[in-house]
Amino acid sequence: VEVEYKSGSTTKTEEFDFDGAEIYLDSKKASYEDLRKGYEVVLLIKGNEVTKVEAKKGQHAFDGYFVAFNAPTSYNRSVDIEIEEETGDSYYHRSKFYSLDRYYVYINGKKFSISDLTDNRYKEAILQPGMPVRLKFNSRDEVTEIETVFNPDIKDGIIWAYINRELSYNATYLYISPSTYRYTSSGQVKTLKLPRDNYYLRVYIDTREAKIQDLKRDDWAKITMRNGEVDTIEVLRTGTSNTTTISLAVSVTTLKSAKMPLI
């Protein structure tokens, strides 16, 4: 496992072997496969060996990337949510399926009946493929709450977000939000710094090269950040195939008794 931690003002990276370590998630016995980016962890290290991992879900932790809501079948009478999760190999991703509560589900605090999830009138208020999501379950292991994870503070990596404002060719900031304009409050709008010269900014719409002024409000975008600035903006408007999965560096804390977020 590649481990990232802070020592003073310096960020360091090391590799540790979790094989044989006791792993706990929210004080319950768990396995290595249960760990996700964004979890706060404490490692107990004896010599060079990690003997215990205590993990707690953090603010930006998520369970996977939303793919679709699937209608009942002859094998499964409930509506389920399909998400993709990383397996450690950036070229291979696997789907997981979780049954939803039979009547209602809350999505970002809004209550939807199960029939709403396949109603196109509510599509923009629900979820877009590729959104990082966090799930909550009831005692029957059915999903009752779904939260999207919006993390505009990433300096190097991927941010998934909606374009909140249309831009001119000489814009200096990109305005983004976790939801479409209609469902976003002013306090939820965040800004990302654009390069000083937008000539070097790469923009793609439906995989074709475009200009920043071609972006529209409510475009669902995959934004690549490098050194605190927007490097690439990718938007897919046609069809529903925007389920591209993304690979982010796995990192865990390494200080012997320090609590740090998994990034």
Side-chain angles (χ1 to χ4, degrees), residues 4-15:
E4 184 178 280
Y5 65 98
K6 285 188 176 181
S7 178
S9 59
T10 305
T11 299
K12 298 182 178 181
T13 302
E14 294 184 41
E15 288 192 2

Side-chain angles (χ1 to χ4, degrees), residues 202-241:
R202 295 176 292 175
V203 178
Y204 300 92
I205 298 176
D206 294 332
T207 71
R208 296 181 179 181
E209 288 191 29
K211 298 178 181 179
I212 193 169
Q213 56 266 38
D214 296 325
L215 297 173
K216 302 295 184 183
R217 189 174 72 187
D218 287 345
D219 275 339
W220 173 240
K222 174 185 175 183
I223 303 163
T224 303
M225 302 292 295
R226 300 200 187 282
N227 299 320
E229 291 187 348
V230 176
D231 179 77
T232 307
I233 303 172
E234 300 172 68
V235 168
L236 192 63
R237 291 178 181 161
T238 58
T240 57
S241 60

Side-chain angles (χ1 to χ4, degrees), residues 5 10-11 33 44 46 70 80 87 89 129 140 149 156 169 197 200 219 224:
Y5 65 98
T10 305
T11 299
E33 288 74 19
L44 179 62
K46 292 184 178 179
N70 296 313
D80 62 33
T87 62
D89 179 353
R140 298 186 299 271
V149 180
D156 289 278
Y169 74 94
D197 187 348
Y200 297 101
D219 275 339
T224 303

Side-chain angles (χ1 to χ4, degrees), residues 17-23 29 32 49-53:
D17 187 357
F18 282 11
D19 187 31
E22 289 185 290
I23 298 177
K29 188 75 173 177
Y32 169 74
E49 182 181 356
V50 178
T51 60
K52 187 176 183 181
V53 179

